[in-house]
Amino acid sequence: MTQCYYAPASTGNVSVGFDLLGAAFEPVNGQRLGDVLAIRGECANTRLSLSGRYQHQLPADTDDNLILRCYQLFQQRLGKALPGLDLHLYKELPVGSGLGSSACSIVVACFAFNHYFSEPLSQVELLQLMAEAEGGVSGSVHYDNVAPSYLGGLQLMLPGSERLCRDLPWFEHWRVVLSYPGTTLSTKAARAAIPAQLPLKTSIEFAAGLSRFVSALYCQDEAEAIAALKDVVAEPARALLMPELPVLRQALMELGVVHVGISGAGPTVFALCQTEQVAAKAASYLASHYEKNQDAMTHICRLASAGARSVKDPIPCS
Ligand SMILES: Nc1ncnc2c1ncn2[C@@H]1O[C@H](COP(=O)(O)OP(=O)(O)OP(=O)(O)O)[C@@H](O)[C@H]1O
Ligand SMILES: N[C@@H](CCO)C(=O)O
């Protein structure tokens, strides 16, 4: 019997936490924003078929697909060969978008295989495997997409801790408008733009901003949390890759948006809103001023409390 699994989109960095903060999001209208993997049964040799809105952005040769790479890594991690699987990926997240697309496929694959084979790996072991797979794609291991896509919520990465990450408080009324313009920006290329070292002043500013944001979340001090949202690491280094950002930010702030940042490595931008009304205005503005082609999309989102999970239907009835 076919078993279907889903993992949500995610925004890495969240402006103030480069490589250390990541949030899973879902459209408030109930649509899914993420990939679905179906395990249709067992067969002699593992095979992968593809469909979905962004199927055309994937490698033509399915042997290069991350889903199959993850099955290899999963078997290596277990130290044993597993049966061939008949797999189907519904690719609903654009590649190179800043929405954690490769992380989403990696998470849904690793979660699916672990569930299908009765969970031989623990949560931490599975997260480590996911990050290892993601690192192979982006050039360096970072958890800020795989952690929220796997676990849901807003996740603070804890390098050096056995926990690996911790779920943070949020503000339930916050809405995040995610707008993907339809163009691509390689995570590897965007990470290459980040300097290998930061001046002491910038390092202190970075640590201060993240500490201020996290402490404001725990104290539920909304004004303080918003004031802390400043990107001193990625945005300055990636400004040339995101030339429209200053104009978008100016227009969106005039509509009442309280923060505009780069979603992950871009080109998706996120607009933080305190009300549904402002979110609707921001979504309308971004749809008409930032979307470039038929691959583009803009969604009004809330934080997704749930991450990777089994689902009944691959594509929910709208
Ligand atoms: N199932 C898959 N989903 C996404 N990318 C895949 C998949 N299989 C293979 N790839 C390849 O992995 C690479 C992912 O590149 P990159 O990390 O820049 O994109 P991304 O992870 O989608 O970006 P972002 O995290 O910003 O959404 C692309 O070259 C893509 O063709
Ligand atoms: N922290 C990563 C997120 C990628 O989605 C980066 O900015 O390169």
Side-chain angles (χ1 to χ4, degrees):
M1 184 196 57
T2 296
Q3 297 189 47
C4 293
Y5 303 87
Y6 167 77
S10 63
T11 284
N13 306 332
V14 193
S15 294
V16 73
F18 179 75
D19 276 6
L20 296 178
L21 276 182
F25 289 117
E26 62 188 18
V28 295
N29 64 9
Q31 281 180 351
R32 283 195 195 132
L33 185 59
D35 291 348
V36 172
L37 181 68
I39 300 180
R40 293 174 165 168
E42 299 182 8
C43 53
N45 299 301
T46 295
R47 57 176 180 255
L48 173 66
S49 53
L50 304 170
S51 64
R53 181 177 176 190
Y54 296 100
Q55 171 190 356
H56 64 284
Q57 296 181 343
L58 293 174
D61 183 350
T62 54
D63 286 346
D64 296 330
N65 199 291
L66 288 168
I67 300 294
L68 296 183
R69 174 75 182 129
C70 284
Y71 196 35
Q72 290 167 355
L73 287 173
F74 185 73
Q75 295 176 81
Q76 287 169 16
R77 178 67 181 72
L78 295 186
K80 66 179 181 181
L82 295 172
L85 296 179
D86 181 4
L87 303 169
H88 186 91
L89 172 65
Y90 300 80
K91 189 65 190 172
E92 299 298 334
L93 265 196
V95 172
S97 59
L99 291 168
S101 178
S102 59
C104 191
S105 276
I106 287 166
V107 165
V108 76
C110 293
F111 179 85
F113 302 143
N114 202 51
H115 182 271
Y116 185 83
F117 292 107
S118 306
E119 299 183 1
L121 297 183
S122 69
Q123 179 174 295
V124 169
E125 288 169 333
L126 200 57
L127 188 51
Q128 286 169 331
L129 181 67
M130 293 167 175
E132 178 192 333
E134 171 75 342
V137 179
S138 61
S140 50
V141 173
H142 57 92
Y143 285 75
D144 55 328
N145 286 115
V146 291
S149 189
Y150 173 36
L151 300 169
L154 173 66
Q155 296 292 332
L156 173 66
M157 305 321 123
L158 301 172
S161 164
E162 286 182 4
R163 292 183 56 91
L164 297 181
C165 59
R166 186 186 300 277
D167 191 68
L168 291 179
W170 182 252
F171 293 95
E172 287 312 311
H173 63 283
W174 277 4
R175 291 295 177 264
V176 169
V177 178
L178 294 171
S179 186
Y180 165 61
T183 54
T184 62
L185 185 46
S186 151
T187 301
K188 204 165 195 173
R191 290 185 75 79
I194 304 292
Q197 292 182 332
L198 293 174
L200 178 60
K201 177 178 180 297
T202 308
S203 303
I204 293 170
E205 206 179 352
F206 173 66
L210 181 54
S211 312
R212 185 182 181 192
F213 185 63
V214 172
S215 63
L217 292 175
Y218 277 110
C219 299
Q220 286 291 279
D221 184 339
E222 184 175 10
E224 185 72 358
I226 291 166
L229 285 171
K230 183 182 176 192
D231 184 344
V232 298
V233 177
E235 186 172 331
R238 293 169 173 169
L240 293 178
L241 300 171
M242 299 280 294
E244 295 176 74
L245 189 54
V247 171
L248 291 174
R249 176 175 285 127
Q250 174 70 31
L252 290 164
M253 302 294 270
E254 286 171 6
L255 294 174
V257 170
V258 294
H259 176 74
V260 179
I262 303 174
S263 179
T268 295
V269 298
F270 76 91
L272 177 61
C273 309
Q274 293 174 293
T275 67
E276 300 276 4
Q277 293 73 15
V278 170
K281 290 179 190 171
S284 174
Y285 177 85
L286 286 163
S288 54
H289 292 79
Y290 194 44
E291 293 188 5
K292 301 287 185 298
N293 56 45
Q294 76 286 353
D295 282 344
M297 59 173 170
T298 298
H299 287 285
I300 300 173
C301 297
R302 58 173 167 253
L303 193 71
S305 55
R309 56 194 183 268
S310 300
V311 289
K312 192 162 61 71
D313 300 310
I315 303 295
C317 307
S318 49

